[in-house]
Amino acid sequence: EIERLNEIIKNYLSLSKLGNANFERLDLNEVVREFAEEAEEMAGRRDVSLEMRFGRGDTSVRGDRNMIRRVLVNLAQNAVDATPMPADVPAAG
């Protein structure tokens, strides 16, 4: 329960930082490509591979590059953490 409350508090604190956001026009594909190298390194430490898929056409958004990057880091970290280590994976059969 304490962990859940901590997450709620962290989310509210993150929302309070929106006033300090640096909104600009960004190509979302470019932001993901910049992030991909770090994400692959993070996944590699757990022997996990990441698959990146990029949008076609106009992928521009108006947003804060650092906040988008933080979202990507959190998503990738959660995915890697939720993936069992190879020794933890039960044998097929």
Side-chain angles (χ1 to χ4, degrees):
E1 189 64 19
I2 290 173
E3 287 180 27
R4 187 180 72 77
L5 291 173
N6 279 337
E7 280 301 310
I8 291 171
I9 291 168
K10 282 183 1 185
N11 288 336
Y12 279 117
L13 290 173
S14 292
L15 286 175
S16 71
K17 295 178 184 176
L18 283 177
N20 298 329
N22 181 24
F23 289 98
E24 59 183 314
R25 196 114 186 104
L26 302 168
D27 179 337
L28 203 50
N29 283 343
E30 179 184 320
V31 175
V32 172
R33 279 188 189 96
E34 291 170 359
F35 165 74
E37 186 176 311
E38 180 182 337
E40 287 173 354
E41 181 182 318
M42 179 190 331
R45 289 192 297 262
R46 291 280 304 255
D47 200 25
V48 173
S49 64
L50 296 178
E51 181 180 321
M52 305 285 177
R53 293 187 184 185
F54 298 95
R56 293 190 174 137
D58 183 15
T59 59
S60 61
V61 296
R62 185 163 160 70
D64 182 293
R65 181 179 299 273
N66 292 326
M67 288 184 173
I68 292 172
R69 186 169 159 48
R70 188 178 329 150
V71 168
L72 294 172
V73 167
N74 287 340
L75 286 172
Q77 188 64 56
N78 289 345
V80 167
D81 289 347
T83 304
M85 294 292 284
D88 297 340
V89 177

